Amino acid sequence: MQPSLATDRREERSIMTNADLQQRFCTLWERCSGESAPSTQVWTLLSEHYREPHRFYHNLQHLRHCLSQLDAAREQIAELDATEMAIWFHDVIYEYGARDNEEKSADLFQAMAGDNMSGSFVERVYDFIIATQHRGAAEDEGVAFVVDIDLSGFGLPWKGYLADSDALRKEAPHIGDEEYYRGKLRFFAELQAWPSLFQTDYFRERLEQRARENIQRYSRDLRARGFAH
């Protein structure tokens, strides 16, 4: 049976306060690195980054959304801990327009993990984080789930998708509307040329149709406002 779409925003709003996020992260960190690992120190650093004042989209709410999608798909995901760890760190470093956000985020995870986690686990999480640059087809199903979770906001109901789009716009206040929305339309054209926005059957079946409808509707609205790519 195809998963219900009615849980989109209700899931994340009903499950995770900031205290819940902290407990969840610390439990994961200790499970992966040992109980003696300074999980609260790592959480403090992580949460400070996601609370930076220039973030309106790439913040704790984005983590809540991604974690809700992970939870919905958990029976399909083989590398659950590595996938979740990558979600926590994938946007920990974020500056609008920077081309090395993901690399810096992956480097920070690697530095924080140190020798407390197995080398193979750290390498896998590192690769998962880098994959959220979305620069091509996923190398394997594990990577595909990470990138699909990161892109799952495209498949929100229209009001949720529009709220995310407005939040993203606020993260680039120094960019004029003409430049910003022209770039947005170019990006949308690239997305619509892909055979599929999502690379796993699970997310494709749940979200592909609505994601494409959202992109098409938003593109029409931008063109109606006089923007063109």
Side-chain angles (χ1 to χ4, degrees):
M1 180 181 296
Q2 182 173 333
S4 171
L5 296 173
T7 59
D8 287 301
R9 280 294 191 191
R10 288 190 316 216
E11 283 178 339
E12 59 211 61
R13 287 176 177 167
S14 66
I15 60 174
M16 285 176 278
T17 65
N18 286 352
D20 292 332
L21 286 174
Q22 178 176 352
Q23 181 177 5
R24 177 166 179 165
F25 173 78
C26 289
T27 298
L28 174 69
W29 189 264
E30 291 167 9
R31 182 167 67 247
C32 295
S33 63
E35 294 183 0
S36 62
S39 60
T40 56
Q41 295 178 31
V42 182
W43 164 255
T44 297
L45 177 64
L46 198 77
S47 60
E48 285 176 352
H49 278 289
Y50 281 106
R51 290 187 175 111
E52 289 168 341
H54 66 276
R55 295 175 183 248
F56 295 89
Y57 173 81
H58 295 91
N59 53 23
L60 292 176
Q61 182 58 25
H62 177 53
L63 286 184
R64 288 185 179 91
H65 170 76
C66 289
L67 290 168
S68 75
Q69 296 302 309
L70 170 72
D71 290 342
R74 65 172 46 245
E75 293 183 3
Q76 313 291 323
I77 298 174
E79 299 170 273
L80 199 58
D81 282 351
T83 302
E84 181 168 349
M85 191 68 76
I87 287 170
W88 284 106
F89 277 89
H90 78 286
D91 283 326
V92 66
I93 303 298
Y94 177 76
E95 293 291 339
Y96 177 80
R99 296 181 179 273
D100 58 354
N101 286 323
E102 291 81 10
E103 291 179 9
K104 287 183 176 179
S105 296
D107 287 344
L108 180 59
F109 161 71
Q110 189 174 52
M112 298 303 293
D115 296 327
N116 293 314
M117 300 181 189
S118 73
S120 59
F121 180 83
V122 171
E123 182 177 353
R124 192 65 166 151
V125 174
Y126 191 99
D127 290 345
F128 282 174
I129 296 170
I130 294 297
T132 62
Q133 293 174 327
H134 305 289
R135 291 183 176 174
E139 296 178 1
D140 55 55
E141 188 176 64
V143 172
F145 268 110
V146 173
V147 299
D148 279 3
I149 289 169
D150 191 32
L151 292 178
S152 60
F154 279 109
L156 286 169
W158 174 248
K159 287 184 178 180
Y161 173 76
L162 192 59
D164 280 356
S165 297
D166 291 343
L168 283 165
R169 179 66 185 100
K170 291 179 182 178
E171 291 185 342
H174 55 293
I175 304 296
D177 282 350
E178 184 66 32
E179 180 182 353
Y180 181 85
Y181 289 119
R182 188 169 62 245
K184 199 84 168 177
L185 284 168
R186 283 198 302 269
F187 176 57
F188 287 158
E190 292 173 5
L191 288 181
Q192 292 180 87
W194 293 2
S196 175
L197 296 176
F198 298 101
Q199 300 188 53
T200 63
D201 291 340
Y202 179 83
F203 281 99
R204 195 158 44 239
E205 291 170 5
R206 288 179 71 224
L207 301 179
E208 181 77 21
Q209 180 177 348
R210 189 159 63 194
R212 288 191 175 274
E213 289 172 353
N214 284 341
I215 291 170
Q216 291 166 3
R217 180 175 178 179
Y218 197 80
S219 297
R220 286 197 303 270
D221 289 351
L222 290 181
R223 288 192 292 268
R225 292 167 57 189
F227 300 109
H229 70 277

